């Protein structure tokens, strides 16, 4: 039997959760609107900060993006990446996505942003000791954010995509593998075969959050990304990125491409691999992501 999304849920120790909105403060920035959000979870009442950007005119349900923030050892940034950017990005993504017609949501992941009072290593150990994983907690909260986003009056639930760089990339293709409500994904700078990373020693450049017991005994990251098929997927990598060495990208892409071929959807899988580029977004990647999301989610491209 082939590896399934349900089996992935089990390995992750993923438990369903919900997000309830407590506070929404709107700010008009002219070419886009910012909503500063505060959610809470029913399980432990934890407060989770979020940011949403959207076009200034509410003219009916729009396509939307669930944006997953990066890691980069910058625990203080978290969801503020949507508005303030980070060194690996060309510019903050929220305003750009709003100008292209998208409603975009980003929330703090555990140990990041306002939740960085708990260390990643401590949160990883605690989750494992209770039979879960930190990455499973992250994905469950992203899934709850997806549910909340899909219920907004200004969002078309059939046209929700997901994107992110680095840790945000991994969250994007894992969540899309688990949840068919994500119509298309575009991810940057964190797509690689984990077994190849272990063989080369590059796995130790990645965070503790990715610790998933038994994962490589049953599947590969390329196969997990293949669970997204036949939905459109854009993969962007730099070939000089130490976190995703070329041989690890090639191994993962072969598995993902095989899944898309089996689904009769190989044309829906795209790879942008740039030579002499490290762990950063490039103008080529930015252009490719915006064109991809606009095409597959039906957002108008701004002049």
């Amino acid at each position: 039997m082939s590896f399934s999304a349900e089996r992935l849920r089990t390995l992750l120790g993923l438990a369903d959760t919900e997000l309830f909105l407590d506070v929404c403060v709107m700010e008009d920035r002219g070419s886009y609107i910012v909503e500063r959000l505060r959610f809470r979870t029913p399980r432990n009442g934890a407060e989770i900060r979020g940011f949403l950007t959207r076009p200034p005119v509410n003219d009916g349900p729009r396509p939307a993006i669930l944006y997953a923030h990066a890691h980069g050892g910058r625990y203080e940034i978290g969801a503020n990446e949507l508005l303030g950017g980070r060194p690996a990005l060309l510019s903050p993504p929220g305003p750009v996505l709003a100008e292209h017609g998208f409603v975009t949501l980003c929330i703090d992941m555990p140990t990041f942003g306002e939740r960085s009072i708990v260390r990643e290593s401590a949160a990883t150990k605690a989750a494992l000791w209770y039979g879960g994983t930190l990455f499973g907690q992250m994905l469950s909260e992203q899934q709850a954010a997806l549910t909340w986003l899909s219920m907004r009056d200004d969002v078309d639930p059939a046209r929700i995509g997901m994107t992110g760089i680095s840790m945000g990339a991994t969250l994007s293709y894992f969540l899309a593998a688990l949840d068919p409500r994500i119509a298309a994904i575009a991810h940057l700078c964190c797509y690689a075969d984990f077994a190849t990373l272990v063989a080369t020693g590059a796995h130790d450049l990645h965070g503790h959050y990715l610790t998933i017991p038994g994962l490589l005994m049953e599947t590969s990251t390329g196969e997990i990304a293949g669970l997204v098929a036949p939905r459109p997927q854009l993969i962007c990598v730099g070939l000089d990125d130490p976190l995703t060495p070329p041989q690890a990208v090639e191994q993962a892409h072969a598995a993902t491409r095989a899944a898309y071929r089996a689904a009769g959807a190989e044309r829906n899988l795209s790879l942008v691999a740039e030579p002499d580029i490290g762990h950063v977004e490039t103008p080529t990647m930015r252009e490719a992501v915006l064109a991809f999301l606009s095409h597959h989610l039906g957002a108008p491209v701004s002049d």
Side-chain angles (χ1 to χ4, degrees):
M1 179 181 295
S2 61
F3 190 75
S4 68
E6 193 55 42
R7 181 57 184 159
L8 180 58
R9 288 181 62 92
T10 300
L11 288 175
L12 288 163
L14 195 148
D16 292 333
T17 190
E18 296 177 87
L19 293 182
F20 296 103
L21 182 65
D22 279 341
V23 178
C24 174
V25 177
M26 284 189 282
E27 178 183 338
D28 188 341
R29 295 196 176 180
S31 62
Y32 64 99
I33 303 293
V34 173
E35 295 185 14
R36 298 177 182 274
L37 310 169
R38 292 200 173 274
F39 299 98
R40 59 181 170 82
T41 61
R43 198 163 44 190
N44 55 14
E47 188 176 272
I48 298 176
R49 179 184 65 166
F51 296 102
L52 182 138
T53 54
R54 59 178 173 84
V57 178
N58 186 354
D59 54 0
R62 289 182 172 273
I65 300 296
L66 181 61
Y67 185 89
H69 69 72
H71 187 309
R74 297 291 301 274
Y75 295 97
E76 77 281 5
I77 296 177
N80 194 51
E81 179 178 321
L82 191 68
L83 302 179
R86 66 169 54 239
L89 293 173
L90 293 174
S91 64
V96 176
L97 289 167
E99 290 164 10
H100 280 71
F102 293 100
V103 177
T104 305
L105 172 66
C106 185
I107 63 170
D108 278 339
M109 288 286 86
T111 77
F112 291 89
E114 290 188 348
R115 307 170 77 184
S116 61
I117 55 173
V118 178
R119 292 171 57 89
E120 181 185 358
S121 58
T124 299
K125 292 171 188 175
L128 291 169
W129 290 349
Y130 279 104
T133 65
L134 179 57
F135 197 43
Q137 181 185 349
M138 291 179 173
L139 287 164
S140 69
E141 291 177 3
Q142 291 285 351
Q143 193 165 43
L146 174 64
T147 297
W148 183 85
L149 183 61
S150 70
M151 295 174 66
R152 286 177 60 102
D153 292 340
D154 58 352
V155 168
D156 180 351
R159 294 189 293 160
I160 300 179
M162 190 168 181
T163 191
I165 186 171
S166 195
M167 183 177 78
T170 312
L171 285 163
S172 294
Y173 73 82
F174 267 74
L175 187 61
L178 293 165
D179 198 318
R181 295 177 297 171
I182 298 175
I185 59 170
H187 50 90
L188 287 68
C189 302
C190 209
Y191 171 82
D193 178 69
F194 281 8
T196 305
L197 294 183
V198 172
T200 61
H203 68 294
D204 204 28
L205 299 175
H206 293 263
H208 292 294
Y209 75 94
L210 272 177
T211 306
I212 309 167
L215 183 75
L216 297 185
M217 299 295 291
E218 299 192 36
T219 188
S220 68
T221 44
E223 187 176 7
I224 291 167
L227 293 174
V228 181
R231 288 164 289 156
Q233 179 170 185
L234 170 64
I235 303 160
C236 298
V237 295
L239 294 178
D240 275 359
D241 186 344
L243 276 73
T244 59
Q247 62 268 44
V249 174
E250 292 167 8
Q251 187 72 21
H253 191 243
T256 305
R257 189 172 61 244
Y260 272 79
R261 187 181 302 119
E266 197 167 0
R267 69 186 183 280
N268 283 346
L269 179 66
S270 303
L271 174 66
V272 173
E274 292 194 75
D276 305 318
I277 296 298
H279 197 72
V280 294
E281 180 190 30
T282 67
T284 298
M285 293 179 189
R286 172 68 64 94
E287 183 179 350
V289 167
L290 291 173
F292 173 89
L293 294 174
S294 295
H295 175 71
H296 289 291
L297 300 176
V301 178
S302 62
D303 293 334

